[in-house]
Amino acid sequence: MGFFTLCKRIFILIVLNILIVTTAMIVVSIVFSYLGISINDYPVLFYAVFYSVIGMGGSFISLYLSIFFAKKAFGVRILTPPLSGEEQKIYEMVSNLSQKAGLPKVPQVGIYNSPEVNAFATGPSKRKSLVAVSSGLLSKMDDEEVEGVIAHEISHIANGDMVTMALIQGMVNTMVLLLARLATQVVTSRMERRSFFMEYMIFMLFQVVLNILGSILVVNVFSRWREYRADHGAARLSGKSKIIKALEKLSSLRLPPAPAQTASYNAFKISHQRHNQSFMQTLFSTHPPLHLRIQRLERFSLY
C-alpha cells in the first residue's frame, strides 16, 4: 500500500468517526429531549469518541488481519508453482478475471478442503486480497460454473466490498455500544439498588438487542445488496450464463452446513442460504435467496 493511499484511508477513517460521533450526539439529544432527560448529566461526548474508536478500530483490525485468519480458519492452501493441471486452471481463471476487472494485482489464490460447495474473497484492499475455493466446489461444478463463481468473488474485490462492509460494521458497532451504554445508565439511575453486575448484565442485554436490530436493518441489508452487485459484475466479467449456471447448481444441491468455526466468514462466501428459508431467516441472512439472484440476472442487461 502506497503512502498516499494510507494517508487517504486514515483521513477517511477520521472523517467517518467525526460524522458518527456527530450523528450519535444528535440522535441521543433528540431521544433524551423526548424522554425529558438532561444530556448534560451524562458524558455523552466522551462515550461517543471512546466507542467510535473501539467500534471502528476493531472492525478495521479484523479487516487487515482477515487474510491471515481466513487461512487459519479454513486451512487454505495457497497455490504456488509448480501447479497441477487443475490448480493451474484455477490460477489462470483468477489471473485473467482480475485483469478484466482492472485489479492492480492478482489476488492470492487458494483451495481449502471442505465438502461445502463454496468460495470466498477477503482482504483489506484491491492490492492485498485472497480468493479461495473449496474442494467441494471443484468436484461438483464444471469449468464454466467455477469461472462464474470466481468472477463473482473478483467482483467483490473490485467493488471494494470488504472495506465497505468493515466501515458499515464499524459504524453499527459504535452506535450499538454508545446507545447501549447510555440506555444502561438511564435505566440504572432510576433504580433504588444497583450493582456492577446488574449494570453489566443490563448493558449486555441492550447490546444483544441493538446488535440484532443493527444486523437486520443495516449490515444484512447492505450485504444482500452487494451480492446482487457482485452477481452483475460476474456477468460482465465472464458472461451471464456462467454465473446463472453456478447459482442454479448451488440451488439444486443439498449439502451439510459449513463448519461452525468458519461461520463468521459466511458473508464473504458465494452463498450462505438455507433452502426454503422463512421470512425471518431471510432477514438474518447475508445473502438473498438464490432464486431471486437468478431472476435478477436473467433480467440484467449487459448493454
Side-chain angles (χ1 to χ4, degrees), residues 21-170:
V21 170
T22 304
T23 303
M25 293 287 288
I26 293 171
V27 171
V28 170
S29 297
I30 293 171
V31 173
F32 275 32
S33 177
Y34 177 78
L35 295 174
I37 301 171
S38 174
I39 195 171
N40 295 324
D41 295 337
Y42 300 92
V44 178
L45 180 59
F46 169 76
Y47 286 146
V49 173
F50 178 69
Y51 286 128
S52 68
V53 172
I54 292 177
M56 295 296 293
S59 185
F60 271 87
I61 288 172
S62 296
L63 174 67
Y64 275 86
L65 296 175
S66 59
I67 293 178
F68 172 79
F69 285 123
K71 288 177 181 178
K72 294 295 183 182
F74 289 90
V76 175
R77 177 172 57 86
I78 300 300
L79 301 186
T80 54
L83 300 174
S84 66
E86 183 178 51
E87 292 174 347
Q88 183 66 34
K89 184 167 54 181
I90 299 302
Y91 185 87
E92 288 178 357
M93 281 185 187
V94 174
S95 179
N96 293 336
L97 291 168
S98 298
Q99 291 178 14
K100 283 186 179 181
L103 296 185
K105 186 177 180 181
V106 177
Q108 294 183 54
V109 186
I111 296 175
Y112 62 99
N113 186 30
S114 173
E116 68 168 337
V117 180
N118 233 316
F120 70 88
T122 191
S125 70
K126 296 179 183 181
R127 286 188 173 275
K128 188 177 181 182
S129 55
L130 165 69
V131 173
V133 297
S134 70
S135 57
L137 182 139
L138 297 178
S139 66
K140 297 289 185 180
M141 290 192 174
D142 62 29
D143 289 350
E144 287 194 344
E145 293 162 347
V146 172
E147 184 177 337
V149 170
I150 291 176
H152 174 98
E153 300 305 330
I154 293 294
S155 293
H156 276 311
I157 298 172
N159 293 336
D161 284 343
M162 281 69 79
V163 176
T164 308
M165 279 294 289
L167 288 171
I168 290 174
Q169 188 64 62

Side-chain angles (χ1 to χ4, degrees), residues 270-285:
I270 180 68
S271 177
H272 174 55
Q273 178 205 340
R274 298 179 179 88
H275 293 280
N276 301 318
Q277 60 187 10
S278 65
F279 173 73
M280 286 302 296
Q281 288 173 328
T282 300
L283 286 179
F284 284 94
S285 178

Side-chain angles (χ1 to χ4, degrees), residues 24 28 44 47-48 51 173-183:
V28 170
V44 178
Y47 286 146
Y51 286 128
N173 291 344
T174 299
M175 294 301 289
V176 166
L177 289 168
L178 174 60
L179 295 177
R181 169 54 59 194
L182 292 174

